[in-house]
Amino acid sequence: MNTSHTRSPASTSPSRGGRAVVAAMILATLSTLSACNIIGPAVFLVEGPPKIDARFELPDKASVVVFVDDMSSPPMGRATRLAIARAAQEDLLKARVVARVIDAGAAFEAASTETASRKLDVQTIGRSVGADLVIHATIDSFTLSPNEAEYLPTAVFRAKVIDTRVEDGARIWPADEPRGATITAQPSQRPKSMPQSRGEADRARGELATLTGQTLAKLFYTHDRWQSVGGR
């Protein structure tokens, strides 16, 4: 057996004296940081950023499409719903969660063929675009302010995953919430002031749409707690 690249224990492990010196240096550093009242960030950096686990892991071989419905009042336009769906699909693609993400625009086009006499369910929409799974979000609230005075962009939606390949038991997540898991999307930092013009308000709604889509996507993969979503 060739052992020419095998390193001896003496070359890979620090001596007891060396470990003691390192430990003393760490304790001294933490003591100094504690005196400056920044011990929390120091510990955070040493331990690494905390993670938020996926609420549901999508089968990595499945093809997926994102579709967004709206039950909010006043109702949002199709463009905003599509912006949410595309923000979600872009985040899923970036994170490489599944093998194939079908463009949400195809699902919205399929849904637009619905008539009063021909209603389309989510499974049918997903099947029509060749998706194995549909990430379905229903927007219950989408607002820049809860009381028209305080500026706090917030979206509340219900999320579920629908399997188009089965007839029964199509909802594979969440198993115990038929209406979907209720999720709230808000900026990690409170914005400073209300938009002062229509253009600013439109931009703020666009940012909230992006934030909502990214929040939806992050339900399906483990990510850093501090990871930036939405925002300017």
Side-chain angles (χ1 to χ4, degrees), residues 156-171:
V156 179
F157 62 91
R158 286 171 283 122
K160 61 181 73 170
V161 178
I162 303 297
D163 193 330
T164 68
R165 300 165 294 183
V166 300
E167 294 300 330
D168 299 320
R171 188 187 72 253

Side-chain angles (χ1 to χ4, degrees), residues 44-219:
F44 178 83
L45 291 173
V46 169
E47 294 181 350
K51 300 285 187 178
I52 298 178
D53 291 336
R55 296 281 296 272
F56 178 75
E57 293 187 0
L58 298 167
D60 59 4
K61 301 297 185 183
S63 59
V64 173
V65 70
V66 182
F67 186 68
V68 179
D69 271 325
D70 177 32
M71 296 294 290
S72 64
S73 181
M76 66 175 61
R78 180 181 185 273
T80 302
R81 292 190 293 118
L82 183 56
I84 292 170
R86 283 193 164 140
Q89 77 182 25
E90 288 171 12
D91 204 78
L92 291 169
L93 286 167
K94 183 178 179 181
R96 298 181 180 180
V97 176
V98 291
R100 181 177 175 227
V101 179
I102 297 167
D103 181 55
F108 278 71
E109 285 299 318
S112 69
T113 65
E114 182 179 72
T115 64
S117 59
R118 180 175 173 267
K119 295 294 183 181
L120 300 179
D121 59 25
V122 174
Q123 263 191 312
T124 301
I125 293 170
R127 285 171 183 158
S128 70
V129 299
D132 297 325
L133 304 176
V134 181
I135 296 175
H136 181 220
T138 301
I139 308 298
D140 290 322
S141 175
F142 187 90
T143 181
L144 299 182
S145 172
N147 52 21
E148 298 186 358
E150 179 185 20
Y151 184 36
L152 185 59
T154 304
V156 179
F157 62 91
R158 286 171 283 122
K160 61 181 73 170
V161 178
I162 303 297
D163 193 330
T164 68
R165 300 165 294 183
V166 300
E167 294 300 330
D168 299 320
R171 188 187 72 253
I172 59 174
W173 180 82
D176 55 352
E177 298 175 271
R179 300 182 72 245
T182 300
I183 309 295
T184 299
Q186 285 182 333
S188 57
Q189 295 182 342
R190 182 183 292 268
K192 293 181 179 179
S193 59
M194 288 282 287
Q196 299 300 308
S197 68
R198 181 173 179 177
E200 289 181 356
D202 288 343
R203 185 164 56 252
R205 280 189 285 269
E207 291 171 355
L208 180 56
T210 298
L211 171 66
T212 304
Q214 292 175 340
T215 301
L216 173 62
K218 284 175 172 57
L219 296 172

